Amino acid sequence: QISEAEVALFSVSSYACQRRTTLDNHNSNLTDALSLLAENAELNNEDGRGVAFRRAAALMKALPTQVISMSQLRGLPCLGEHSLRVIKDVLENGVSSEVESTKQSKRYKALKILTGIFGVGAKTADRWIREGIYNLEQLRHSGQTLNRAQKSGLEHYDDLNEPVTKAEADAIGEIVQKAVDSVLTGSQVALTGGFRRGKLTGHDVDFLITHPEEGKEVGLMPKVVAWLESRGFLLYQKTTRNSYLESKDGPARPASNMDRFERCFSIFKLTKGKEQESTQPEEQNDLKTKDVLRPHMQVDTDQQLCELSKNYQMEAASHKIWRAVRVDLVVSPISQFAFAVLGWTGSKLFERELRRWAGHEKNMSLSSHALFDNTQNKYLRATSEEEIFAYLGLEYIPPSERNA
Ligand code: CTP
Ligand code: MN
Ligand code: MN
Ligand code: MN
């Protein structure tokens, strides 16, 4: 038993954007539990609950040491009744009963599997579940109409649920840089998202593209996509023009030069190993069933067949010389680049907290395009992330410490 006096109390700011959150998490037992409940809430379209659990998890990630007693948490912000109950359960019993029963639930498992398909969100998954579809096998046999993204997502399901490594992100970065250089010299590519925050793996790779001369970036995305497509680098792509329109008096530019943030959600075909230099990805080695299911093999039972099929799939996977990787490409004009970099570096909660801070504490509106001061009724220009933090009256937090 630890006495009151021996207990180390923590002092933590209430907004995640005021805190330095590295990847060095001393309370992963607690943050894993809270994150799972956040995810479950989000999968059930309970956004308010989701944010509450995300904030609680982020607070625990920011603590400098491992929590051992509930009394250490006294006076801390962001911890609601529900989150405290979960934390108490984990501290006392090693696990949270709510987390365990959620993990076991048929609905949670199905939501995880179905939203694991690129292009499938919580609403679609919910509809399918109500129609009795709980897994990929049932989905494949259901006759459901899938859109282009979902078809691609289902086809590359295993690859897309396999974490992307930093080495793979760098290899894709080289390809994107080459594409961008080829279509418009002087263009710049920045790695954003989790990899910019120093994560070693991610669910995708995020890039921001710009050109130092304002306006030169216009029309860049379709050219980059065409370059990549013609060389067989894309398994799927959907390019969307951004609908962002500037209002009021800034960033003051003529209508012809309004925002042209364009985005491309894509699936890259990444050749494994060092072959990336070749601009033409090679075709997959055709592994024939006979390589694994040799003629002398007797298949008597379903279990044997299942085992053989599993071996076959593992063999096939190990022979495959390429993999599918989710890649996000965004083009920003140089005048908005600092805001775009800040907005696309994440984490998602850090971004949400920055915008909440701006609105609630500074009467400003922050987006990935601009910062508007509602008091002065004007846009605040910036060419670096440091300037944006300064406008917001926040200490500068480098990307590696935005892992809230
Ligand atoms: N983002 C965004 N608009 C979207 C999707 C993402 O502005 N429609 C931003 C998010 O706010 C985040 C960044 O892009 O800051 C990266 O998002 P994402 O790739 O989903 O997350 P990561 O932090 O990169 O994590 P992961 O490693 O799982 O990819
Ligand atoms: Mn530490
Ligand atoms: Mn990402
Ligand atoms: Mn992304």
Side-chain angles (χ1 to χ4, degrees), residues 2 51 99 116 120 141 164 185 194 206 244 260 265 269 280 290-291 307 323 352 355 370 400:
I2 300 136
V51 172
V99 168
V120 177
H141 293 108
V164 184
T185 41
D206 306 281
Y244 174 79
R260 283 180 171 80
F265 294 115
K269 180 175 185 174
Q280 202 74 46
K290 64 173 166 51
D291 295 339
E307 201 57 39
R323 67 162 293 189
R352 176 184 269 277
R355 293 194 298 269
S400 62

Side-chain angles (χ1 to χ4, degrees), residues 203-204 206 326 328 344:
H203 97 282
D204 69 356
D206 306 281
R326 271 274 298 115
D328 284 337
W344 278 84

